[in-house]
Amino acid sequence: MLKRTKNTGLYILMMLIAVLQLFPLYWLVVSAFKDNSEIIGGVVWALPTKWRFSNFSEAWVSAKVNQYFFNSVSVTLITLFFVLLFASMMAYALTRMRFKYNGVILFILLMGVMVPIHATLIPLFMILKNLGILSSRLSIILPYIAVNLPIGVYMLSAFLRSMPKELEEAAFIDGCGVLKSFFKVVLPLLKPPLASVAIFVFLAVWNELLMAATFIQKEALRTLPLGLMNFSGQYSISWGPLAAAMVISTLPILLAYVLFSDQMEKSFTAGAILK
Amino acid sequence: MERALSNKKLIALFLVPGLTVFLVFYFVPIIMTAYYSLHDWDGINPMTFIGLDNYTKMFTTDKSFWQAVWNSLAFLLVGVLIQLPISFALAMLVSRKMKGRKWFRNIYFFPVVMSTTMVSLLWVKIYDPNIGMLNTLLDAVHLSSWTQAWLGDTKTALLSVLIVTTWHYVGYNMLILFAGMQGISEQYYEAAKLDGAVGWKAVRHITLPLLSDVLRICIVLNVIYALKTFESVYVMTNGGPLNSTTMIALKMFQEAFLKQNFGYGSALAVFMVLECLIIAWVLNKVLTREKIEY
């Protein structure tokens, strides 16, 4: 009996904390359907009297969230593809191939895990300017690939090191070359750690603001975080459409979270241990 | 196979593309930052070498630099002394074998995956004196005297930003600690039970010591995050009012891209890097004790 009451108490405590974590988000979602008079005059936790889907269409079209959304999707996908490809190739070379500078390369990559990206910002700005790609999509894609490579290489190398070589050896005996055995045998086996890296990179790139704010000057190329920030400046008066835009930009993350929450937890813990 | 795997052309094919991008867009810039920091430069006209003058200015005449250092310290202390204990309690809660614990864990963790920009914009609205939910809530519970412009007042701005960071990241620490707790074998607790160590005693004598490695990682992570803080203050206050929420990263950004002081901005960036590396190294040294064996 005593144990039961204790458990109920714990449940109530956990519910309270859950409410504390979720209430701001609940407020965001209901605000996305309200107009200002309802937000200012109404009860904070009340549902909208009338569900204004117009906030969403206003955000999507007039506030150009559709454009920001497309920019974020394309930048994220391109970055993701190259990080996964380059990181798995580098990890393979560093763990399986034989050459002298193995240690040096791993050490240089370690800098990428340790040094904050803020320290690269000013020279990057000059490099991108000199290359003539400032304020193009490439101006953030290339740094995003560079920034996310080290952690990818480390996560994948750790996995490869613990992976037996027998399958690759069998592939060689069957007459596969290195390339063929890499793409046909190794890459499929790398799926679990690749999924972790993919989630890690997806969140990092989808949420990135500092580099986008520094290197993207064209309005048409703004990513979601950058677009939202400017949007909030212009729409400081009407909170409804801004809330709608924020809901839209979080949907892909929410979706990924619902689908892959276990994988996400894994990639976060793995990433944390590495840092 | 051995011969194929030491083929120079193949090795180059696997390494060069990624390594080139990494070197050009990450590694080389770090070195260039150090070089820039020794110059007076507006990014357009030729640089003038001025030795360590930027650093002298930083440490002696620039008052907002010290303000930024103190603010980092506030972030750091809140991260370690407030956020971490809360996270630890949450991790304890969600590692109890009870129904729905996975749900609670997912709910507590969810804010972590949202972007800092999003979270910051949301809280700007929550703190907003007119439409914000915080003041409206305070009015509703008859605490109208507490209402104020949370982010607009030098007295409350930093605290308000710190609350947001805590709300955003408690789930992160919770998750890492939870993962650590899962790794502690049930046997220890059962053995302790026989010796009469339950509840707080079990936490103190089993959970905490066996979790010391994970706790160290959490402390280092929190400290590094605190020192790197940029987005939240950039979006919520832009360092204001009166520099009360300014941070080194934000100052570096403003010096370089608003005031065109590329040299001085680079010196601030170098300071940030050294600060992170030194503190992480010191923490690792201080917090590493001899492994506990049972």
Side-chain angles (χ1 to χ4, degrees):
Chain A
M1 189 61 206
L2 205 114
K3 200 158 180 210
R4 258 233 17 233
T5 34
K6 213 174 147 195
N7 260 340
T8 326
L10 273 179
Y11 261 115
I12 294 171
L13 178 67
M14 288 171 89
M15 289 297 266
L16 275 175
I17 301 167
V19 168
L20 217 59
Q21 286 301 86
L22 286 183
F23 195 67
L25 299 171
Y26 167 79
W27 185 66
L28 171 73
V29 174
V30 290
S31 298
F33 292 98
K34 291 178 176 177
D35 68 357
N36 263 13
S37 65
E38 217 178 334
I39 294 169
I40 296 169
V43 187
V44 170
W45 51 84
L47 290 173
T49 47
K50 189 184 143 217
W51 295 79
R52 272 165 219 280
F53 288 92
S54 58
N55 283 343
F56 283 84
S57 52
E58 189 179 340
W60 187 249
V61 184
S62 329
K64 296 187 184 146
V65 169
N66 54 358
Q67 207 174 48
Y68 306 148
F69 197 91
F70 171 73
N71 291 336
S72 274
V73 168
S74 59
V75 166
T76 307
L77 287 183
I78 297 171
T79 307
L80 210 51
F81 174 80
F82 282 106
V83 171
L84 294 181
L85 179 70
F86 290 165
S88 46
M89 287 168 79
M90 288 172 80
Y92 184 75
L94 290 168
T95 50
R96 292 288 203 265
M97 292 175 166
R98 271 145 214 275
F99 60 103
K100 254 190 281 175
Y101 305 104
N102 205 307
V104 181
I105 293 175
L106 275 171
F107 181 77
I108 290 175
L109 286 171
L110 189 66
M111 298 257 305
V113 186
M114 311 258 292
V115 174
I117 59 160
H118 311 71
T120 63
L121 211 61
I122 298 170
L124 260 183
F125 183 83
M126 300 314 292
I127 291 174
L128 294 165
K129 199 170 147 190
N130 290 334
L131 287 175
I133 53 173
L134 200 61
S135 209
S136 73
R137 264 192 202 107
L138 265 185
S139 73
I140 47 176
I141 290 173
L142 288 168
Y144 285 171
I145 298 174
V147 166
N148 288 297
L149 261 179
I151 202 143
V153 174
Y154 270 89
M155 278 163 111
L156 296 170
S157 309
F159 186 89
L160 273 171
R161 240 174 263 127
S162 66
M163 202 176 87
K165 290 178 191 166
E166 274 78 26
L167 277 169
E168 289 154 70
E169 274 161 7
F172 275 101
I173 292 164
D174 286 349
C176 281
V178 176
L179 273 179
K180 205 167 174 194
S181 97
F182 174 74
F183 283 105
K184 287 257 159 79
V185 179
V186 178
L187 269 190
L189 290 171
L190 276 180
K191 262 184 201 152
L194 276 175
S196 284
V197 176
I199 284 171
F200 206 85
V201 176
F202 162 67
L203 287 172
V205 174
W206 189 266
N207 292 338
E208 208 281 339
L209 173 71
L210 177 63
M211 284 183 165
T214 314
F215 305 143
I216 296 285
Q217 281 129 8
K218 268 194 215 121
E219 205 211 317
L221 292 181
R222 280 176 188 158
T223 53
L224 274 168
L226 188 58
L228 283 182
M229 217 188 87
N230 287 289
F231 179 18
S232 108
Q234 288 155 19
Y235 276 66
S236 54
I237 312 160
S238 49
W239 163 225
L242 174 59
M246 285 158 73
V247 171
I248 295 170
S249 86
T250 312
L251 278 180
I253 292 179
L254 183 66
L255 193 71
Y257 194 61
V258 171
L259 290 175
F260 310 112
S261 63
D262 287 342
Q263 194 74 40
M264 244 184 218
E265 290 188 356
K266 254 185 248 155
S267 68
F268 265 86
T269 14
I273 309 286
L274 274 177
K275 288 235 170 180
Chain B
M1 177 160 139
E2 294 300 312
R3 225 182 64 214
L5 285 176
S6 41
N7 180 327
K8 291 244 160 54
K9 273 185 197 152
L10 262 175
I11 294 170
L13 178 75
F14 273 71
L15 280 174
V16 168
L19 207 54
T20 310
V21 176
F22 175 77
L23 288 176
V24 175
F25 296 98
Y26 206 141
F27 188 77
V28 170
I30 294 172
I31 300 184
M32 283 166 78
T33 302
Y35 177 72
Y36 286 176
S37 76
L38 305 173
H39 294 78
D40 183 26
W41 190 34
D42 60 3
I44 301 156
N45 294 304
M47 307 185 196
T48 10
F49 182 80
I50 53 166
L52 295 174
D53 280 7
N54 282 326
Y55 295 93
T56 324
K57 177 184 164 194
M58 192 159 88
F59 289 122
T60 53
T61 52
D62 189 346
K63 286 211 180 75
S64 64
F65 167 76
W66 288 108
Q67 179 82 54
V69 172
W70 286 118
N71 289 342
S72 308
L73 202 65
F75 266 86
L76 195 153
L77 290 176
V78 167
V80 175
L81 300 179
I82 296 182
Q83 210 192 101
L84 208 53
I86 298 176
S87 307
F88 186 82
L90 288 183
M92 292 286 293
L93 279 176
V94 296
S95 55
R96 290 177 69 93
K97 289 199 175 44
M98 60 202 299
K99 250 190 181 168
R101 65 171 189 161
K102 196 163 175 255
W103 275 94
F104 285 113
R105 199 168 81 226
N106 283 341
I107 290 171
Y108 300 162
F109 183 69
F110 182 65
V112 178
V113 297
M114 294 197 303
S115 74
T116 312
T117 314
M118 251 283 306
V119 168
S120 303
L121 285 172
L122 170 61
W123 281 82
V124 165
K125 292 298 177 188
I126 289 174
Y127 287 132
D128 189 293
N130 299 314
I131 65 164
M133 139 181 135
L134 185 56
N135 280 353
T136 322
L137 273 179
L138 287 173
D139 278 332
V141 294
H142 305 289
L143 283 171
S144 302
S145 57
W146 288 23
T147 61
Q148 56 186 304
W150 295 95
L151 291 168
D153 191 323
T154 46
K155 278 192 287 266
T156 50
L158 186 64
L159 182 71
S160 305
V161 174
L162 286 167
I163 289 173
V164 179
T165 313
T166 307
W167 179 84
H168 192 182
Y169 285 118
V170 276
Y172 191 15
N173 291 301
M174 173 203 75
L175 185 71
I176 300 166
L177 292 169
F178 169 79
M181 286 176 189
Q182 294 306 99
I184 301 177
S185 161
E186 234 7 86
Q187 289 170 350
Y188 294 123
Y189 292 104
E190 273 155 26
K193 223 179 210 169
L194 294 178
D195 295 340
V198 283
W200 176 240
K201 259 191 182 161
V203 174
R204 229 191 76 188
H205 294 293
I206 301 169
T207 320
L208 280 176
L210 284 174
L211 218 57
S212 59
D213 274 345
V214 183
L215 278 167
R216 194 181 76 231
I217 291 170
C218 276
I219 292 174
V220 173
L221 271 179
N222 276 303
V223 168
I224 302 279
Y225 274 136
L227 300 178
K228 291 198 298 195
T229 305
F230 172 81
E231 273 101 338
S232 57
V233 286
Y234 179 55
V235 176
M236 283 195 267
T237 61
N238 206 7
L242 293 172
N243 287 327
S244 60
T245 58
T246 201
M247 303 291 290
I248 305 282
L250 181 69
K251 222 181 125 43
M252 181 269 296
F253 180 81
Q254 289 169 336
E255 287 289 344
F257 299 106
L258 298 177
K259 299 188 196 162
Q260 310 320 120
N261 291 332
F262 278 66
Y264 189 53
S266 300
L268 288 162
V270 170
F271 174 81
M272 248 183 95
V273 174
L274 294 179
E275 193 188 24
C276 286
L277 292 181
I278 291 171
I279 292 186
W281 183 77
V282 170
L283 278 177
N284 261 319
K285 280 266 162 205
V286 173
L287 297 175
T288 313
R289 296 210 212 108
E290 274 179 55
K291 272 250 185 302
I292 301 151
E293 297 276 353
Y294 281 93

